[in-house]
Amino acid sequence: MLGRLTEGLSARTLILLLLLLAVMLAAPFFASDYLLTVLILILYFAYVGQAWNIMMGFAGQLSLGHALYVGLGAYTAAALYVHFGIGPWIGLLIAIPIAALAGAFIGYLAFRFKVGGVYFAILTIAFAEFARVGFDHLAFTKGSSGLFLPVAQYSKNDLWHLRGQPVMFYYVLLVAVVAAFIGCRALLQSRIGYFWLAIREDEEAARSAGIDTFRYKMIAVVISAAMTSFAGVIYAFYYNNLFPEQVFHISRSIEIILGPIVGGVGTLFGPILGAFVLTGLAESLTEGLHAIGIDIPGAKQVFYGICLLFVIMALPDGVWPWVKRRLGLAERAP
């Protein structure tokens, strides 16, 4: 299994990946509280970026409503914990099927009626907006007044209930990012992965070659939605409050896709690198402006726009393919 996952990777690539993992494992021992918070954000966006990349980067289905799956995961686990005392990991087992079913319903509705491209993207936005309005009036989750999780000072980290210090969430997300990276590589090397790439490049040709495009697009949507719901659970128990206007807002969906776009859509390491670049530079910009006493509303959004403009004009394939070429990390021919 290990040989299969590392097949085609150069020794330099493996060494650099292991060094990066070692640095990330050791980072909390040297990082300040603020830097640790930034690293948690980076890992969060790296993970959801990988989940979104399965749908768009691998299978070619553009989603602009992934906040829907984050919100479903967050609200399911949080409501079960608040009302019934059910732990987040048990709640996750319920949140994953709910998000997967939501993705399956959207996918079925779109693919069965030949809705694709920009119209599929609009459909995903619509369902995220339906959820925002619906949860805004749902008494069980406290509606627009917000759902708040109980907060207390913990002398030690309680991993089972996700109650504890930020460093615990850091390592949970780090494990999730590594697992997602390995899982995505395994999927790409599988029969499903080859079918996804064929559909992404030319769906009509893939259908003519005998590929059941409906089935494999549905698989991509369901896997992506299910993975994203885990990020929602972490979001809920890290921030301890949920508001429909924030969780399901389209801006949350845009934040999810920025990392893969900047890093490189369809690449394995692109969503991770994009999360580091965007979140790291955006937070540095915000702190720099605060340090000199300047508060510019929307500065982070403007920065995101500038980054996207630069990538589209100078690096249309994303930052990671360019970095990979400069470091000589091209995969070996099998």
Side-chain angles (χ1 to χ4, degrees):
M1 180 63 178
L2 181 60
R4 174 70 173 168
L5 288 174
T6 59
E7 181 182 351
L9 294 178
S10 66
R12 179 183 296 182
T13 300
L14 290 173
I15 291 172
L16 288 177
L17 285 174
L18 291 174
L19 284 175
L20 176 61
L21 179 59
V23 170
M24 296 302 292
L25 286 171
F29 295 100
F30 306 98
S32 64
D33 291 342
Y34 172 73
L35 180 57
L36 183 62
T37 301
V38 174
L39 289 174
I40 290 172
L41 278 177
I42 289 172
L43 291 176
Y44 171 83
F45 285 118
Y47 176 81
V48 292
Q50 287 173 306
W52 178 83
N53 198 38
I54 290 176
M55 188 186 296
M56 174 58 190
F58 297 170
Q61 307 306 307
L62 176 59
S63 169
L64 296 179
H66 253 53
L68 169 66
Y69 310 123
V70 174
L72 290 176
Y75 268 104
T76 299
L80 290 174
Y81 183 75
V82 170
H83 294 295
F84 306 110
I86 297 175
W89 299 108
I90 302 298
L92 177 64
L93 298 179
I94 301 173
I96 287 177
I98 290 176
L101 284 172
F105 178 75
I106 296 172
Y108 182 87
L109 190 64
F111 305 145
R112 183 57 69 189
F113 294 99
K114 311 298 184 183
V115 176
V118 67
Y119 298 105
F120 177 75
I122 293 173
L123 184 65
T124 61
I125 295 174
F127 273 91
E129 284 298 295
F130 292 156
R132 181 183 65 81
V133 174
F135 276 84
D136 214 29
H137 296 84
L138 187 61
F140 183 70
T141 56
K142 308 300 183 182
S144 60
S145 60
L147 180 63
F148 294 86
L149 280 69
V151 179
Q153 295 295 326
Y154 291 88
S155 58
K156 62 179 181 179
N157 293 321
D158 183 358
L159 181 61
W160 177 248
H161 292 99
L162 285 180
R163 303 283 82 190
Q165 303 300 316
V167 67
M168 180 189 67
F169 290 92
Y170 173 88
Y171 282 116
V172 169
L173 282 170
L174 180 60
V175 170
V177 170
V178 173
F181 180 84
I182 294 173
C184 287
R185 180 168 174 80
L187 284 170
L188 273 185
Q189 292 180 313
S190 69
R191 181 186 181 92
I192 293 175
Y194 292 125
F195 288 166
W196 282 343
L197 296 181
I199 293 170
R200 183 191 69 185
E201 296 304 319
D202 192 329
E203 185 173 343
E204 289 300 322
R207 188 180 295 112
S208 300
I211 297 175
D212 187 345
T213 57
F214 175 81
R215 176 187 178 187
Y216 289 102
K217 288 193 296 184
M218 286 290 292
I219 291 174
V221 171
V222 169
I223 291 176
S224 181
M227 284 180 60
T228 306
S229 66
F230 171 77
V233 175
I234 300 301
Y235 179 98
F237 282 79
Y238 179 68
Y239 288 106
N240 298 306
N241 60 79
L242 296 171
F243 294 91
E245 182 63 31
Q246 295 178 353
V247 177
F248 293 104
H249 198 273
I250 188 174
S251 62
R252 302 285 83 80
S253 295
I254 299 302
E255 287 178 347
I256 289 173
I257 73 175
L258 285 177
I261 291 175
V262 170
V265 175
T267 64
L268 283 169
F269 198 73
I272 300 175
L273 179 61
F276 270 94
V277 171
L278 272 181
T279 306
L281 292 179
E283 292 300 325
S284 299
L285 173 66
T286 302
E287 282 301 301
L289 291 175
H290 287 168
I292 59 178
I294 299 177
D295 184 15
I296 304 177
K300 187 180 294 186
Q301 286 70 26
V302 171
F303 173 77
Y304 287 156
I306 293 173
C307 285
L308 284 177
L309 181 63
F310 172 80
V311 168
I312 291 171
M313 295 181 63
L315 301 169
D317 294 328
V319 176
W320 173 240
W322 179 82
V323 171
K324 185 168 67 172
R325 289 193 298 269
R326 292 297 181 273
L327 296 178
L329 300 179
E331 294 193 2
R332 302 190 305 266

